[in-house]
Amino acid sequence: MNFWWILYIIDWLLFVPVALTTLYILFFSVMALFRPRADAKAAKRQNRFIVLIPSYKSDKRILETVNSILGQTYSQRNFDVVVISDHQSEMVNMRLAQLPITLLTPNFDKSSKAKSLQYAILNLPQFKIYDAVIILNSGNVVEPEFLQRVNDAYETSGTKALQTHRMMRNLDTAVSRMQATFEEIDNTIFRRGHLSIGFSAALSSSGSVFNFQWFKQNIMKIRAVVGVEKELEAVLMHDGIYIDYFENIHVFEDRALTLTEFNNQHGRWTYIQLHSLLKNFRFLPTALMNSHYDWADKILQWLLIPRTILMGIVMVMGCLLPFIYLTLAIKWWAVGAVALFACALATPDYLVGKEWDKDFLRAPLIALTSLLNIFRAGRDEAGNRLDAFSHLLRKLKPGRKR
């Protein structure tokens, strides 16, 4: 096999998944332009909520989050706040203990969001009865009407899961603007665009609302170190539960990431997507045969090339191929233009300022460092599973006293 055959094979093996991913993004970016969602109707009853806030080494940011959720216009007797304070300073824990919340202070050897949520559920008083659970992250800030709007949405939706509109509040730096742009592109494509044709929205890392009994039964099934929301999505889709999305209910992320943290985050996201695909791909034929298109679409989402990696591939191939064979580069320029158009279409107007074009064109450079962090996330996950297996072996060791 000569050089040209190898070049053609590599070229098409990369181009086909990139082109399919681009078409998927473009389709849902266009769909998001139609059928805007009407606001939820005012509910006749007030549900009882529990707000779970896992917090790992977040220090003072958790205080702002708790204060924002305590300052609600919603009836105080109809919601409780539980903070799972893991590896935080004693001073922060002392200040949290003075607030009208439930403070839990686990000290995990290997911390994860899943462990924190499970710990909270296991330590709730049995006599407490709730209708729904809300998941927030440390650093989230909500408006005073947040719980009232969630209550209206939960009653209007009639489903067991819904996602609110997660937004970045800090737009002072290039990294924070890029973070906000990527978050809003996800909101457009994987939430509003999907709802426009009747598919479930994707869950975000915070601002999710679940039926309490469903959550209590299923959170114990989650084992991942990272990617709790993806595993919950898989369980919801497998159970045939629709995930609704309400764009007018805002959850603000107040934390501005550094460039290193931003790259690490995208590396984790890429690993989470790959892990979700490998774990659930076997369900795709069954979902298609049973006309469960919502579940099939979710699996296809995990087959897509992450956007930062897609842009990186397009950039490398579009710049390299003209020096080898110009004709091969033309289709890469075309798919790159379509991908940029789709992402620009999915970006809301409030983010399009004088610095937007510079920030957006920096995105492909993130792919190179993001790829390195996939292996770091995978190593952490493998280490966690090995520790769990070793613990099980010790428990089953013959002659152990019980």
Side-chain angles (χ1 to χ4, degrees), residues 365-384:
L365 300 177
I366 299 171
L368 301 177
T369 48
S370 295
L371 281 172
L372 298 176
N373 290 291
I374 300 173
F375 303 102
R376 183 183 304 170
R379 186 182 64 235
D380 293 343
E381 173 75 5
N384 186 71

Side-chain angles (χ1 to χ4, degrees), residues 229-239 280 295 302:
E229 64 279 357
K230 294 302 179 187
E231 289 211 18
L232 287 173
E233 275 184 0
V235 178
L236 286 164
M237 294 296 97
H238 194 268
D239 291 349
N280 297 287
W295 185 202
W302 298 329

Side-chain angles (χ1 to χ4, degrees), residues 19-160:
L20 292 175
T21 300
T22 301
L23 290 174
Y24 185 96
I25 292 172
L26 177 63
F27 175 77
F28 283 104
S29 295
V30 173
M31 289 298 101
L33 300 175
F34 303 99
R35 296 177 61 186
R37 176 69 180 265
D39 292 343
K41 298 179 181 179
K44 295 181 179 180
R45 65 182 293 262
Q46 284 196 335
N47 289 285
R48 183 161 173 77
F49 295 102
I50 179 170
V51 183
L52 300 181
I53 312 175
S55 180
Y56 175 73
K57 293 184 178 180
S58 59
D59 294 332
K60 295 182 179 180
R61 287 186 295 112
I62 183 60
L63 296 171
E64 185 177 10
T65 301
V66 173
N67 285 327
S68 73
I69 198 66
L70 289 177
Q72 295 293 298
T73 58
Y74 201 69
S75 173
Q76 293 286 330
R77 68 176 182 273
N78 282 329
F79 73 93
D80 291 329
V81 179
V82 178
V83 174
I84 308 96
S85 178
D86 183 17
H87 289 85
Q88 292 194 138
S89 67
E90 291 185 8
M91 181 61 68
V92 170
N93 284 338
M94 287 177 60
R95 294 180 66 180
L96 287 170
Q98 296 172 2
L99 299 174
I101 64 170
T102 299
L103 177 64
L104 302 176
T105 55
N107 190 22
F108 302 118
D109 292 333
K110 288 186 176 293
S111 300
S112 71
K113 187 174 181 179
K115 286 183 179 179
S116 293
L117 294 174
Q118 291 164 355
Y119 186 87
I121 292 298
L122 290 173
N123 285 274
L124 287 179
Q126 294 296 320
F127 62 87
K128 292 281 189 177
I129 300 175
Y130 301 100
D131 297 298
V133 56
I134 301 172
I135 309 297
L136 295 178
N137 286 341
S138 177
N140 288 162
V141 177
V142 295
E143 298 167 319
E145 299 81 15
F146 173 74
L147 284 180
Q148 184 60 57
R149 290 174 179 171
V150 168
N151 184 68
D152 295 341
Y154 189 72
E155 286 292 295
T156 300
S157 177
T159 187
K160 294 183 179 180

Side-chain angles (χ1 to χ4, degrees), residues 157-170:
S157 177
T159 187
K160 294 183 179 180
L162 61 90
Q163 177 62 47
T164 60
H165 185 178
R166 189 169 178 266
M167 304 174 66
M168 301 298 114
R169 191 165 72 164
N170 188 330

Side-chain angles (χ1 to χ4, degrees), residues 192-211:
R192 192 169 74 242
H194 274 66
L195 253 69
S196 69
I197 61 172
F199 282 176
S200 283
L203 293 178
S204 185
S205 60
S206 63
S208 304
V209 183
F210 304 97
N211 174 272

Side-chain angles (χ1 to χ4, degrees), residues 314-325:
V314 171
M315 181 180 66
V316 170
M317 298 300 286
C319 294
L320 183 63
L321 284 177
F323 298 100
I324 302 174
Y325 196 158

